[in-house]
Amino acid sequence: ITQVGITGSGPQGNAANERIRDTIWERNWWALPASGDTIQIRHAFTASETTIRNNIVEVSGNGSDHRVFYVQMTNTVPGYPVPDQVRFYNNSVFSSDTGSNFGFVQLQAPITNITIKNNLVYAPGDAAPVLTFGTGASGIVIANNSSNANITAVSPAWTSPTPASPADFILTAPSYIAADPTVPVFSDFFRRARPFTAPMDIGATEF
């Protein structure tokens, strides 16, 4: 899927009383078309019990916004539930852009109980990338992901160092961090069983 703009789970507007829960976003290929550097791609979640897993995201040319995912409370309807239990498992992300504002997930108060595990992120041209950013969220679990330093310094050993299609994200060696095998992700982007070769890999594809 090639998207321009914002996708995600949540109400159609900040004043809409539409409550979204129990959704899974899986095996999507999100990328920007080669049409200039002023467009953006990002995925926002104002929902609960939502799992984002086994997705591949290529965000090079992402305008001025190099943030990939958002979890935040933007709805103004009285009594609208705060986003809760949102999980990011085994996603692969690449950006070739330069700058100093790359981020994998923005977490903003008052959201609660967010889990971020087994994500493989590479933005070698960014001067100050971060896995997560934002303040005030509670109940956050972050483990077995690319670290802030890894995001620029460690090549993921993908089939291509500058991936432009899902096949380019296939690992040619085990991921440099072993995955947490307890997460409920039982196959990869290409539907190969996890682990394909032990141990289980981080990211959307298995070695």
Side-chain angles (χ1 to χ4, degrees), residues 106-123:
Q106 176 172 316
L107 304 172
Q108 205 70 39
I111 65 173
T112 55
N113 300 314
I114 311 299
T115 303
I116 302 171
K117 289 187 175 184
N118 297 354
N119 297 285
L120 182 54
V121 184
Y122 190 42

Side-chain angles (χ1 to χ4, degrees), residues 35-112:
S35 58
D37 61 359
T38 60
I39 54 179
Q40 299 176 358
I41 182 172
R42 58 183 179 177
H43 312 283
F45 298 93
T46 305
S48 296
E49 292 292 347
T50 297
T51 300
I52 302 96
R53 66 188 185 194
N54 272 340
N55 298 290
I56 296 178
V57 188
E58 203 282 295
V59 292
S60 302
N62 205 28
S64 60
D65 189 342
H66 297 94
R67 294 163 288 183
V68 182
F69 295 111
Y70 290 67
V71 185
Q72 52 192 346
M73 178 60 173
T74 57
N75 195 278
T76 58
V77 174
Y80 193 90
V82 170
D84 179 69
Q85 297 292 348
V86 180
R87 298 167 284 268
F88 295 86
Y89 296 145
N90 287 91
N91 298 287
S92 292
V93 177
F94 173 72
S95 173
S96 64
D97 292 341
T98 59
S100 58
N101 60 354
F102 178 88
F104 176 60
V105 184
Q106 176 172 316
L107 304 172
Q108 205 70 39
I111 65 173
T112 55

